[in-house]
Amino acid sequence: DTQMTQSPSSLSASVGDSVTITCRASQSIGRFLNWYQQKPGKAPKLLIYAASSVQGGIPSRFTGSGSGTDFTLTISGLQPGDSATYHCQQSYSIPYTFGQGTKLEI
Amino acid sequence: QVHLQESGPGLVKPSQTLSLTCTVSGTSITAHYWSWIRQPPGKGLEWIGYVDYGGTANYNPSLKSRVTISLAPSKTQFSLNLTSVTAADTAMYYCAKGDPGMDVWGQGATVTVSS
């Protein structure tokens, strides 16, 4: 299985700040990397697919980059509603696997 | 607008079979990939498997001997069956559409395995 490791596990930031979350794959996955936002008690929401493509309806404040084994999700101009847990997921090889999640507190 | 809704028993006894259904509206079930994902309380997400628009399924090897995902004959539902459940299968179960990115999710169904 391809192991996905996110860092940090949690972070705290202020309104207006920018933050970057990192996701590292245990083997190369090309650009088959997706990012999700999950708020407490809710289902995950797709933010970014194929490493850098922004899902429809997602603000441009959310940007993804990377390829191979190293990927990042950057959120700029943080808003209170961005408080959530962020998950990366590889869809290169079965079984699809998720990172352990990064909890962002605003 | 595409909408997914999970349904099924919230309590399953150990050693029995967990069965969930995902009802799809707003799109054709024969046009996309359909996944099941679970999340144990306080833990991360685990991909269980998917069935494609033609009915071909792929599973997580860790569950492969116990899981079946299939399209229902109604063409508006797909299902999850997980046999021989234990307490470790207690989780929120989500159905979702799409591959590679899962762009529409159901609200989730809580399943507890307990006698």
Side-chain angles (χ1 to χ4, degrees), chain B residues 4 12 17 19 28 36 43 54 71 75 99 111:
Chain B
L4 278 61
V12 182
T17 296
S19 295
S28 171
W36 287 97
K43 295 188 177 181
L71 300 179
K75 303 289 188 186
D99 184 69
V111 178

Side-chain angles (χ1 to χ4, degrees), chain B residues 102-114:
Chain B
M102 291 173 280
D103 62 345
V104 181
W105 294 60
Q107 66 183 27
T110 300
V111 178
T112 301
V113 178
S114 174

Side-chain angles (χ1 to χ4, degrees), chain A residues 11-19 61 75-83 104-106:
Chain A
L11 74 160
S12 181
S14 300
V15 172
D17 285 352
S18 293
V19 296
R61 303 185 294 106
I75 313 171
S76 58
L78 282 171
Q79 300 181 2
D82 296 333
S83 288
L104 171 62
E105 177 184 307
I106 308 298

Side-chain angles (χ1 to χ4, degrees), chain A residues 53-106:
Chain A
S53 296
V54 182
Q55 176 67 7
I58 302 301
S60 58
R61 303 185 294 106
F62 293 86
T63 58
S65 66
S67 65
T69 60
D70 294 314
F71 301 86
T72 60
L73 171 69
T74 298
I75 313 171
S76 58
L78 282 171
Q79 300 181 2
D82 296 333
S83 288
T85 297
Y86 293 83
H87 306 272
C88 64
Q89 176 234 343
Q90 65 84 16
S91 51
Y92 177 77
S93 61
I94 288 172
Y96 295 166
T97 45
F98 292 86
Q100 80 279 17
T102 295
K103 187 173 183 178
L104 171 62
E105 177 184 307
I106 308 298

